[in-house]
Amino acid sequence: MRGLATVPSYVVMQPTTLCNLDCAYCYLPFRAADRRMPVPVAEAVAASVNRWAAAGRFSVVWHGGEPLAAGREHLAALLAPFGPEVEHHVQTNATLIDDAWCAFFAEHGVRVSVSVDGPRERNGDRVTRAGRPAYDRILRGVAALRRHGLPFSALAVVSYPEPGLATELYDYFLDLGCDVLGINIEETEGVNTRDNSHDARAVTAFWAELVAAWRREPRIHLREVEWSLRYAGAVLEGTADGLLPRRLDPIPTVGHDGSVTVLSPELAGFTDVRYGDFSSGNVLVTPLAEILAGAERTPWVGEFLAGVEACRASCPYFGFCGGGHAANRYFELGRFDGTETAHCRNSKIHLLEGVLEHARDHQSPAA
């Protein structure tokens, strides 16, 4: 993995900066403002994306703010320029989902992922702009998805790993009815400055417990655990070098105004005296394919790639994570060429250690 690929595997689109919730751990800087993406931005992105999708599987991920806050009519207008080969996904807090939205998802083939942190008592950070709990509204949205037979994924944020939590969460999501689950240990990034350092043993034990819960009833695709097991199996088979791509996926995020930020959606909307606005260009001026072809010339990107090489040279977990995420380095370390972060420890190093710990504790006795 050296340098950036010129063709991404997916594009993140921000249809609006607005979110109707005010979650305590949210990283977005402008979630109280309704800045909507003009249709010409979507048309400009589609000009590149449709060519990529014709050559193979390709996804567009609509991610806000709260994407549904843009409204059905406007979101339909943003979807319209994309060809039939493009897969559409939306990351939503589900509070706005009703029968009409379910019909919209079915009509446009939009795959839904719901942000919810587990049972009611685990959702204290997910509140409305008036500070009221959002949990009941989230469940109403999920109930609508289930009523219409629409499959959905779930994404949960864990702020404080503790014994018993992983099993509680896994059992909850089994009952919720999702078919894919992602677990994020809370990250210090964007406007969220809460500390995300945790005791290493507690985080490792959390991941080991999650593996155990999943293995008892593996009906959900568990994103982090399945990738870890795949990596561990490849190490044993001597094929781990082939798991990571040859070049980093640029993961372009197209902001509401057409600006393109590569590598980390969490950087979009921020500015820095050293790095400017982190943008590599704007699709209203330059085609997306051309922006990505020159993205390595963006000053902070070069600094990040130097950090990736430092990770390669110093970290035994490099083959598992590929050098970490740009936003985590910037918001934790203040620059891009550092190496280990708390996010690395929580969601990469201790994740793999937890999977291996579970394997050691449950290995069959020697014959």
Side-chain angles (χ1 to χ4, degrees), residues 55-102:
R57 184 176 181 182
F58 198 91
S59 297
V60 171
V61 180
W62 299 91
H63 194 302
E66 167 51 51
L68 306 193
R72 283 185 295 277
E73 182 177 344
H74 189 62
L75 193 55
L78 295 176
L79 289 169
F82 294 93
E85 299 91 354
V86 177
E87 298 180 10
H88 292 280
H89 301 252
V90 62
Q91 185 67 47
T92 174
N93 60 40
T95 60
L96 300 176
I97 296 178
D98 56 13
D99 292 339
W101 270 112
C102 288

mmCIF file of all heavy atoms in Angstrom, residues 55-102:
data_model
loop_
_atom_site.group_PDB
_atom_site.id
_atom_site.type_symbol
_atom_site.label_atom_id
_atom_site.label_comp_id
_atom_site.label_asym_id
_atom_site.label_seq_id
_atom_site.Cartn_x
_atom_site.Cartn_y
_atom_site.Cartn_z
ATOM 1 N N ALA A 55 -17.538 0.007 -14.934
ATOM 2 C CA ALA A 55 -16.407 -0.922 -14.972
ATOM 3 C C ALA A 55 -16.427 -1.927 -13.830
ATOM 4 O O ALA A 55 -15.624 -2.866 -13.813
ATOM 5 C CB ALA A 55 -15.101 -0.135 -14.940
ATOM 6 N N GLY A 56 -17.319 -1.756 -12.851
ATOM 7 C CA GLY A 56 -17.369 -2.669 -11.712
ATOM 8 C C GLY A 56 -18.192 -2.083 -10.586
ATOM 9 O O GLY A 56 -18.658 -0.936 -10.664
ATOM 10 N N ARG A 57 -18.356 -2.857 -9.534
ATOM 11 C CA ARG A 57 -19.209 -2.438 -8.416
ATOM 12 C C ARG A 57 -18.727 -1.118 -7.833
ATOM 13 O O ARG A 57 -17.536 -0.936 -7.574
ATOM 14 C CB ARG A 57 -19.204 -3.528 -7.338
ATOM 15 C CG ARG A 57 -20.136 -3.239 -6.178
ATOM 16 C CD ARG A 57 -20.149 -4.386 -5.196
ATOM 17 N NE ARG A 57 -21.075 -4.105 -4.093
ATOM 18 C CZ ARG A 57 -21.257 -4.933 -3.061
ATOM 19 N NH1 ARG A 57 -20.594 -6.077 -2.996
ATOM 20 N NH2 ARG A 57 -22.109 -4.599 -2.111
ATOM 21 N N PHE A 58 -19.681 -0.199 -7.601
ATOM 22 C CA PHE A 58 -19.326 1.111 -7.063
ATOM 23 C C PHE A 58 -20.480 1.651 -6.221
ATOM 24 O O PHE A 58 -21.645 1.513 -6.588
ATOM 25 C CB PHE A 58 -19.010 2.110 -8.184
ATOM 26 C CG PHE A 58 -18.244 3.304 -7.715
ATOM 27 C CD1 PHE A 58 -16.867 3.298 -7.732
ATOM 28 C CD2 PHE A 58 -18.903 4.421 -7.213
ATOM 29 C CE1 PHE A 58 -16.141 4.397 -7.275
ATOM 30 C CE2 PHE A 58 -18.207 5.508 -6.751
ATOM 31 C CZ PHE A 58 -16.811 5.495 -6.776
ATOM 32 N N SER A 59 -20.115 2.307 -5.096
ATOM 33 C CA SER A 59 -21.124 2.802 -4.159
ATOM 34 C C SER A 59 -20.996 4.308 -3.948
ATOM 35 O O SER A 59 -19.892 4.866 -3.978
ATOM 36 C CB SER A 59 -20.986 2.110 -2.793
ATOM 37 O OG SER A 59 -21.217 0.721 -2.902
ATOM 38 N N VAL A 60 -22.137 4.941 -3.730
ATOM 39 C CA VAL A 60 -22.207 6.314 -3.248
ATOM 40 C C VAL A 60 -22.862 6.274 -1.875
ATOM 41 O O VAL A 60 -23.944 5.695 -1.715
ATOM 42 C CB VAL A 60 -23.012 7.226 -4.197
ATOM 43 C CG1 VAL A 60 -23.247 8.590 -3.558
ATOM 44 C CG2 VAL A 60 -22.279 7.387 -5.523
ATOM 45 N N VAL A 61 -22.192 6.839 -0.878
ATOM 46 C CA VAL A 61 -22.683 6.833 0.494
ATOM 47 C C VAL A 61 -23.145 8.243 0.843
ATOM 48 O O VAL A 61 -22.347 9.188 0.841
ATOM 49 C CB VAL A 61 -21.589 6.367 1.481
ATOM 50 C CG1 VAL A 61 -22.128 6.381 2.909
ATOM 51 C CG2 VAL A 61 -21.084 4.980 1.112
ATOM 52 N N TRP A 62 -24.435 8.387 1.140
ATOM 53 C CA TRP A 62 -25.001 9.691 1.514
ATOM 54 C C TRP A 62 -24.895 9.826 3.026
ATOM 55 O O TRP A 62 -25.451 9.033 3.779
ATOM 56 C CB TRP A 62 -26.442 9.783 1.025
ATOM 57 C CG TRP A 62 -26.517 9.670 -0.469
ATOM 58 C CD1 TRP A 62 -26.669 8.525 -1.200
ATOM 59 C CD2 TRP A 62 -26.380 10.738 -1.408
ATOM 60 N NE1 TRP A 62 -26.640 8.809 -2.543
ATOM 61 C CE2 TRP A 62 -26.468 10.169 -2.704
ATOM 62 C CE3 TRP A 62 -26.198 12.115 -1.290
ATOM 63 C CZ2 TRP A 62 -26.373 10.923 -3.866
ATOM 64 C CZ3 TRP A 62 -26.109 12.876 -2.450
ATOM 65 C CH2 TRP A 62 -26.202 12.281 -3.718
ATOM 66 N N HIS A 63 -24.133 10.824 3.441
ATOM 67 C CA HIS A 63 -23.739 10.936 4.850
ATOM 68 C C HIS A 63 -23.702 12.420 5.197
ATOM 69 O O HIS A 63 -23.040 13.197 4.512
ATOM 70 C CB HIS A 63 -22.353 10.301 5.002
ATOM 71 C CG HIS A 63 -21.924 10.028 6.416
ATOM 72 N ND1 HIS A 63 -21.842 11.003 7.381
ATOM 73 C CD2 HIS A 63 -21.529 8.874 7.011
ATOM 74 C CE1 HIS A 63 -21.414 10.461 8.512
ATOM 75 N NE2 HIS A 63 -21.220 9.174 8.311
ATOM 76 N N GLY A 64 -24.412 12.832 6.256
ATOM 77 C CA GLY A 64 -24.573 14.256 6.556
ATOM 78 C C GLY A 64 -23.527 14.835 7.468
ATOM 79 O O GLY A 64 -22.371 14.458 7.410
ATOM 80 N N GLY A 65 -24.064 15.612 8.374
ATOM 81 C CA GLY A 65 -25.436 15.854 8.770
ATOM 82 C C GLY A 65 -26.306 14.600 8.800
ATOM 83 O O GLY A 65 -25.837 13.477 8.808
ATOM 84 N N GLU A 66 -27.593 14.851 8.817
ATOM 85 C CA GLU A 66 -28.583 13.790 8.664
ATOM 86 C C GLU A 66 -29.098 13.860 7.230
ATOM 87 O O GLU A 66 -29.818 14.805 6.874
ATOM 88 C CB GLU A 66 -29.726 13.957 9.662
ATOM 89 C CG GLU A 66 -30.948 13.105 9.398
ATOM 90 C CD GLU A 66 -30.609 11.638 9.200
ATOM 91 O OE1 GLU A 66 -29.888 11.057 10.040
ATOM 92 O OE2 GLU A 66 -31.076 11.065 8.192
ATOM 93 N N PRO A 67 -28.723 12.912 6.377
ATOM 94 C CA PRO A 67 -29.085 13.007 4.963
ATOM 95 C C PRO A 67 -30.582 13.170 4.717
ATOM 96 O O PRO A 67 -30.986 13.878 3.788
ATOM 97 C CB PRO A 67 -28.564 11.687 4.383
ATOM 98 C CG PRO A 67 -27.453 11.289 5.295
ATOM 99 C CD PRO A 67 -27.881 11.737 6.661
ATOM 100 N N LEU A 68 -31.413 12.538 5.540
ATOM 101 C CA LEU A 68 -32.849 12.617 5.314
ATOM 102 C C LEU A 68 -33.391 14.011 5.607
ATOM 103 O O LEU A 68 -34.487 14.364 5.155
ATOM 104 C CB LEU A 68 -33.591 11.581 6.165
ATOM 105 C CG LEU A 68 -33.136 10.114 6.022
ATOM 106 C CD1 LEU A 68 -34.143 9.197 6.665
ATOM 107 C CD2 LEU A 68 -32.881 9.738 4.572
ATOM 108 N N ALA A 69 -32.629 14.821 6.332
ATOM 109 C CA ALA A 69 -33.045 16.199 6.601
ATOM 110 C C ALA A 69 -33.059 17.038 5.328
ATOM 111 O O ALA A 69 -33.643 18.126 5.297
ATOM 112 C CB ALA A 69 -32.126 16.837 7.645
ATOM 113 N N ALA A 70 -32.437 16.550 4.260
ATOM 114 C CA ALA A 70 -32.492 17.244 2.981
ATOM 115 C C ALA A 70 -33.870 17.138 2.344
ATOM 116 O O ALA A 70 -34.200 17.939 1.452
ATOM 117 C CB ALA A 70 -31.434 16.676 2.024
ATOM 118 N N GLY A 71 -34.672 16.169 2.779
ATOM 119 C CA GLY A 71 -36.008 15.979 2.225
ATOM 120 C C GLY A 71 -36.001 15.023 1.048
ATOM 121 O O GLY A 71 -35.003 14.907 0.322
ATOM 122 N N ARG A 72 -37.117 14.335 0.835
ATOM 123 C CA ARG A 72 -37.196 13.337 -0.228
ATOM 124 C C ARG A 72 -37.052 13.953 -1.617
ATOM 125 O O ARG A 72 -36.366 13.409 -2.486
ATOM 126 C CB ARG A 72 -38.514 12.555 -0.129
ATOM 127 C CG ARG A 72 -38.526 11.510 0.973
ATOM 128 C CD ARG A 72 -39.803 10.690 0.954
ATOM 129 N NE ARG A 72 -40.971 11.509 1.256
ATOM 130 C CZ ARG A 72 -41.367 11.822 2.479
ATOM 131 N NH1 ARG A 72 -40.675 11.404 3.526
ATOM 132 N NH2 ARG A 72 -42.450 12.549 2.676
ATOM 133 N N GLU A 73 -37.714 15.072 -1.842
ATOM 134 C CA GLU A 73 -37.664 15.678 -3.180
ATOM 135 C C GLU A 73 -36.244 16.082 -3.551
ATOM 136 O O GLU A 73 -35.774 15.807 -4.664
ATOM 137 C CB GLU A 73 -38.597 16.890 -3.223
ATOM 138 C CG GLU A 73 -38.657 17.553 -4.597
ATOM 139 C CD GLU A 73 -39.642 18.712 -4.645
ATOM 140 O OE1 GLU A 73 -40.495 18.829 -3.731
ATOM 141 O OE2 GLU A 73 -39.550 19.513 -5.603
ATOM 142 N N HIS A 74 -35.539 16.718 -2.616
ATOM 143 C CA HIS A 74 -34.181 17.163 -2.922
ATOM 144 C C HIS A 74 -33.230 15.973 -3.037
ATOM 145 O O HIS A 74 -32.370 15.946 -3.942
ATOM 146 C CB HIS A 74 -33.684 18.131 -1.851
ATOM 147 C CG HIS A 74 -32.381 18.780 -2.213
ATOM 148 N ND1 HIS A 74 -32.225 19.602 -3.313
ATOM 149 C CD2 HIS A 74 -31.155 18.706 -1.638
ATOM 150 C CE1 HIS A 74 -30.981 20.017 -3.394
ATOM 151 N NE2 HIS A 74 -30.301 19.484 -2.380
ATOM 152 N N LEU A 75 -33.361 14.993 -2.157
ATOM 153 C CA LEU A 75 -32.475 13.832 -2.239
ATOM 154 C C LEU A 75 -32.713 13.077 -3.544
ATOM 155 O O LEU A 75 -31.761 12.585 -4.166
ATOM 156 C CB LEU A 75 -32.698 12.916 -1.028
ATOM 157 C CG LEU A 75 -31.642 11.826 -0.815
ATOM 158 C CD1 LEU A 75 -30.231 12.415 -0.727
ATOM 159 C CD2 LEU A 75 -31.936 11.031 0.458
ATOM 160 N N ALA A 76 -33.973 12.979 -3.989
ATOM 161 C CA ALA A 76 -34.262 12.333 -5.269
ATOM 162 C C ALA A 76 -33.578 13.075 -6.419
ATOM 163 O O ALA A 76 -33.043 12.450 -7.351
ATOM 164 C CB ALA A 76 -35.769 12.267 -5.499
ATOM 165 N N ALA A 77 -33.579 14.398 -6.353
ATOM 166 C CA ALA A 77 -32.919 15.191 -7.398
ATOM 167 C C ALA A 77 -31.410 14.964 -7.398
ATOM 168 O O ALA A 77 -30.767 14.965 -8.463
ATOM 169 C CB ALA A 77 -33.234 16.674 -7.208
ATOM 170 N N LEU A 78 -30.820 14.738 -6.210
ATOM 171 C CA LEU A 78 -29.386 14.467 -6.119
ATOM 172 C C LEU A 78 -29.049 13.068 -6.612
ATOM 173 O O LEU A 78 -27.965 12.829 -7.161
ATOM 174 C CB LEU A 78 -28.910 14.635 -4.672
ATOM 175 C CG LEU A 78 -29.000 16.047 -4.078
ATOM 176 C CD1 LEU A 78 -28.592 16.028 -2.606
ATOM 177 C CD2 LEU A 78 -28.132 17.027 -4.850
ATOM 178 N N LEU A 79 -29.959 12.121 -6.429
ATOM 179 C CA LEU A 79 -29.741 10.753 -6.890
ATOM 180 C C LEU A 79 -29.881 10.632 -8.404
ATOM 181 O O LEU A 79 -29.254 9.772 -9.033
ATOM 182 C CB LEU A 79 -30.748 9.813 -6.234
ATOM 183 C CG LEU A 79 -30.585 9.516 -4.737
ATOM 184 C CD1 LEU A 79 -31.814 8.790 -4.203
ATOM 185 C CD2 LEU A 79 -29.343 8.682 -4.487
ATOM 186 N N ALA A 80 -30.706 11.472 -8.986
ATOM 187 C CA ALA A 80 -31.098 11.315 -10.386
ATOM 188 C C ALA A 80 -29.939 11.243 -11.388
ATOM 189 O O ALA A 80 -30.011 10.470 -12.350
ATOM 190 C CB ALA A 80 -32.069 12.441 -10.778
ATOM 191 N N PRO A 81 -28.851 12.013 -11.228
ATOM 192 C CA PRO A 81 -27.785 11.956 -12.241
ATOM 193 C C PRO A 81 -27.009 10.642 -12.265
ATOM 194 O O PRO A 81 -26.283 10.385 -13.237
ATOM 195 C CB PRO A 81 -26.868 13.119 -11.843
ATOM 196 C CG PRO A 81 -27.693 14.012 -10.969
ATOM 197 C CD PRO A 81 -28.622 13.093 -10.252
ATOM 198 N N PHE A 82 -27.114 9.829 -11.233
ATOM 199 C CA PHE A 82 -26.313 8.609 -11.156
ATOM 200 C C PHE A 82 -26.977 7.478 -11.928
ATOM 201 O O PHE A 82 -28.199 7.300 -11.884
ATOM 202 C CB PHE A 82 -26.096 8.213 -9.698
ATOM 203 C CG PHE A 82 -25.260 9.199 -8.927
ATOM 204 C CD1 PHE A 82 -25.863 10.224 -8.208
ATOM 205 C CD2 PHE A 82 -23.881 9.120 -8.944
ATOM 206 C CE1 PHE A 82 -25.102 11.149 -7.516
ATOM 207 C CE2 PHE A 82 -23.110 10.041 -8.254
ATOM 208 C CZ PHE A 82 -23.716 11.061 -7.545
ATOM 209 N N GLY A 83 -26.160 6.704 -12.615
ATOM 210 C CA GLY A 83 -26.663 5.626 -13.446
ATOM 211 C C GLY A 83 -27.166 4.439 -12.637
ATOM 212 O O GLY A 83 -26.945 4.347 -11.422
ATOM 213 N N PRO A 84 -27.838 3.494 -13.288
ATOM 214 C CA PRO A 84 -28.431 2.346 -12.594
ATOM 215 C C PRO A 84 -27.409 1.389 -11.991
ATOM 216 O O PRO A 84 -27.754 0.602 -11.108
ATOM 217 C CB PRO A 84 -29.248 1.662 -13.695
ATOM 218 C CG PRO A 84 -28.604 2.109 -14.981
ATOM 219 C CD PRO A 84 -28.130 3.498 -14.731
ATOM 220 N N GLU A 85 -26.163 1.454 -12.444
ATOM 221 C CA GLU A 85 -25.145 0.544 -11.887
ATOM 222 C C GLU A 85 -24.644 0.995 -10.521
ATOM 223 O O GLU A 85 -24.030 0.217 -9.789
ATOM 224 C CB GLU A 85 -23.943 0.460 -12.834
ATOM 225 C CG GLU A 85 -24.254 -0.083 -14.207
ATOM 226 C CD GLU A 85 -24.606 1.034 -15.185
ATOM 227 O OE1 GLU A 85 -24.712 2.204 -14.731
ATOM 228 O OE2 GLU A 85 -24.779 0.737 -16.380
ATOM 229 N N VAL A 86 -24.898 2.252 -10.150
ATOM 230 C CA VAL A 86 -24.385 2.799 -8.894
ATOM 231 C C VAL A 86 -25.234 2.308 -7.729
ATOM 232 O O VAL A 86 -26.466 2.370 -7.768
ATOM 233 C CB VAL A 86 -24.390 4.342 -8.929
ATOM 234 C CG1 VAL A 86 -23.912 4.916 -7.591
ATOM 235 C CG2 VAL A 86 -23.514 4.850 -10.070
ATOM 236 N N GLU A 87 -24.581 1.813 -6.675
ATOM 237 C CA GLU A 87 -25.267 1.410 -5.447
ATOM 238 C C GLU A 87 -25.317 2.607 -4.495
ATOM 239 O O GLU A 87 -24.298 3.262 -4.287
ATOM 240 C CB GLU A 87 -24.529 0.253 -4.772
ATOM 241 C CG GLU A 87 -24.446 -1.012 -5.601
ATOM 242 C CD GLU A 87 -23.696 -2.125 -4.878
ATOM 243 O OE1 GLU A 87 -23.405 -1.962 -3.669
ATOM 244 O OE2 GLU A 87 -23.392 -3.135 -5.521
ATOM 245 N N HIS A 88 -26.486 2.855 -3.926
ATOM 246 C CA HIS A 88 -26.634 3.983 -3.010
ATOM 247 C C HIS A 88 -26.843 3.487 -1.576
ATOM 248 O O HIS A 88 -27.625 2.548 -1.341
ATOM 249 C CB HIS A 88 -27.810 4.863 -3.428
ATOM 250 C CG HIS A 88 -27.575 5.591 -4.710
ATOM 251 N ND1 HIS A 88 -26.826 6.751 -4.774
ATOM 252 C CD2 HIS A 88 -27.961 5.322 -5.982
ATOM 253 C CE1 HIS A 88 -26.772 7.165 -6.028
ATOM 254 N NE2 HIS A 88 -27.451 6.320 -6.781
ATOM 255 N N HIS A 89 -26.152 4.118 -0.648
ATOM 256 C CA HIS A 89 -26.258 3.814 0.776
ATOM 257 C C HIS A 89 -26.518 5.114 1.525
ATOM 258 O O HIS A 89 -26.028 6.168 1.117
ATOM 259 C CB HIS A 89 -24.964 3.182 1.305
ATOM 260 C CG HIS A 89 -24.576 1.917 0.610
ATOM 261 N ND1 HIS A 89 -24.675 0.677 1.200
ATOM 262 C CD2 HIS A 89 -24.096 1.696 -0.641
ATOM 263 C CE1 HIS A 89 -24.272 -0.246 0.349
ATOM 264 N NE2 HIS A 89 -23.909 0.348 -0.775
ATOM 265 N N VAL A 90 -27.255 5.027 2.611
ATOM 266 C CA VAL A 90 -27.480 6.208 3.438
ATOM 267 C C VAL A 90 -27.214 5.858 4.893
ATOM 268 O O VAL A 90 -27.644 4.808 5.388
ATOM 269 C CB VAL A 90 -28.917 6.760 3.262
ATOM 270 C CG1 VAL A 90 -29.973 5.759 3.701
ATOM 271 C CG2 VAL A 90 -29.089 8.080 4.014
ATOM 272 N N GLN A 91 -26.433 6.717 5.574
ATOM 273 C CA GLN A 91 -26.192 6.575 7.010
ATOM 274 C C GLN A 91 -27.115 7.548 7.715
ATOM 275 O O GLN A 91 -26.995 8.759 7.526
ATOM 276 C CB GLN A 91 -24.728 6.877 7.352
ATOM 277 C CG GLN A 91 -24.363 6.634 8.807
ATOM 278 C CD GLN A 91 -24.435 5.158 9.169
ATOM 279 O OE1 GLN A 91 -23.923 4.303 8.437
ATOM 280 N NE2 GLN A 91 -25.065 4.849 10.293
ATOM 281 N N THR A 92 -28.036 7.021 8.530
ATOM 282 C CA THR A 92 -29.088 7.851 9.089
ATOM 283 C C THR A 92 -29.306 7.558 10.563
ATOM 284 O O THR A 92 -29.055 6.444 11.031
ATOM 285 C CB THR A 92 -30.416 7.622 8.325
ATOM 286 O OG1 THR A 92 -31.473 8.345 8.961
ATOM 287 C CG2 THR A 92 -30.789 6.149 8.266
ATOM 288 N N ASN A 93 -29.815 8.564 11.291
ATOM 289 C CA ASN A 93 -30.184 8.327 12.689
ATOM 290 C C ASN A 93 -31.580 7.723 12.806
ATOM 291 O O ASN A 93 -32.040 7.445 13.921
ATOM 292 C CB ASN A 93 -30.072 9.612 13.518
ATOM 293 C CG ASN A 93 -30.970 10.731 13.011
ATOM 294 O OD1 ASN A 93 -32.115 10.529 12.613
ATOM 295 N ND2 ASN A 93 -30.448 11.971 13.051
ATOM 296 N N ALA A 94 -32.273 7.564 11.687
ATOM 297 C CA ALA A 94 -33.562 6.854 11.577
ATOM 298 C C ALA A 94 -34.746 7.606 12.158
ATOM 299 O O ALA A 94 -35.881 7.147 12.035
ATOM 300 C CB ALA A 94 -33.487 5.457 12.202
ATOM 301 N N THR A 95 -34.519 8.753 12.773
ATOM 302 C CA THR A 95 -35.631 9.433 13.446
ATOM 303 C C THR A 95 -36.661 9.990 12.470
ATOM 304 O O THR A 95 -37.801 10.263 12.864
ATOM 305 C CB THR A 95 -35.117 10.587 14.332
ATOM 306 O OG1 THR A 95 -34.422 11.543 13.504
ATOM 307 C CG2 THR A 95 -34.173 10.067 15.411
ATOM 308 N N LEU A 96 -36.290 10.174 11.218
ATOM 309 C CA LEU A 96 -37.209 10.728 10.230
ATOM 310 C C LEU A 96 -37.848 9.650 9.346
ATOM 311 O O LEU A 96 -38.720 9.958 8.522
ATOM 312 C CB LEU A 96 -36.482 11.749 9.341
ATOM 313 C CG LEU A 96 -35.874 12.951 10.074
ATOM 314 C CD1 LEU A 96 -35.093 13.829 9.100
ATOM 315 C CD2 LEU A 96 -36.958 13.760 10.781
ATOM 316 N N ILE A 97 -37.418 8.408 9.513
ATOM 317 C CA ILE A 97 -37.929 7.339 8.652
ATOM 318 C C ILE A 97 -39.389 7.046 8.964
ATOM 319 O O ILE A 97 -39.768 6.836 10.114
ATOM 320 C CB ILE A 97 -37.089 6.055 8.812
ATOM 321 C CG1 ILE A 97 -35.656 6.304 8.325
ATOM 322 C CG2 ILE A 97 -37.715 4.905 8.032
ATOM 323 C CD1 ILE A 97 -34.736 5.114 8.496
ATOM 324 N N ASP A 98 -40.208 7.038 7.918
ATOM 325 C CA ASP A 98 -41.618 6.679 8.017
ATOM 326 C C ASP A 98 -41.980 5.869 6.776
ATOM 327 O O ASP A 98 -41.094 5.467 5.997
ATOM 328 C CB ASP A 98 -42.503 7.922 8.165
ATOM 329 C CG ASP A 98 -42.285 8.932 7.023
ATOM 330 O OD1 ASP A 98 -41.646 8.574 6.005
ATOM 331 O OD2 ASP A 98 -42.758 10.075 7.164
ATOM 332 N N ASP A 99 -43.256 5.617 6.551
ATOM 333 C CA ASP A 99 -43.669 4.812 5.405
ATOM 334 C C ASP A 99 -43.241 5.462 4.085
ATOM 335 O O ASP A 99 -42.834 4.760 3.143
ATOM 336 C CB ASP A 99 -45.186 4.614 5.425
ATOM 337 C CG ASP A 99 -45.640 3.731 6.586
ATOM 338 O OD1 ASP A 99 -44.812 2.971 7.117
ATOM 339 O OD2 ASP A 99 -46.826 3.811 6.962
ATOM 340 N N ALA A 100 -43.336 6.779 4.014
ATOM 341 C CA ALA A 100 -42.968 7.467 2.776
ATOM 342 C C ALA A 100 -41.477 7.326 2.478
ATOM 343 O O ALA A 100 -41.076 7.120 1.326
ATOM 344 C CB ALA A 100 -43.368 8.939 2.861
ATOM 345 N N TRP A 101 -40.652 7.431 3.514
ATOM 346 C CA TRP A 101 -39.219 7.240 3.304
ATOM 347 C C TRP A 101 -38.920 5.800 2.909
ATOM 348 O O TRP A 101 -38.045 5.540 2.064
ATOM 349 C CB TRP A 101 -38.434 7.629 4.557
ATOM 350 C CG TRP A 101 -38.029 9.069 4.596
ATOM 351 C CD1 TRP A 101 -38.473 10.042 5.444
ATOM 352 C CD2 TRP A 101 -37.085 9.714 3.722
ATOM 353 N NE1 TRP A 101 -37.868 11.244 5.163
ATOM 354 C CE2 TRP A 101 -37.015 11.078 4.113
ATOM 355 C CE3 TRP A 101 -36.303 9.285 2.661
ATOM 356 C CZ2 TRP A 101 -36.184 11.992 3.472
ATOM 357 C CZ3 TRP A 101 -35.472 10.205 2.014
ATOM 358 C CH2 TRP A 101 -35.426 11.536 2.419
ATOM 359 N N CYS A 102 -39.616 4.841 3.496
ATOM 360 C CA CYS A 102 -39.389 3.437 3.134
ATOM 361 C C CYS A 102 -39.727 3.209 1.664
ATOM 362 O O CYS A 102 -39.018 2.477 0.956
ATOM 363 C CB CYS A 102 -40.219 2.527 4.030
ATOM 364 S SG CYS A 102 -39.599 2.430 5.737
#
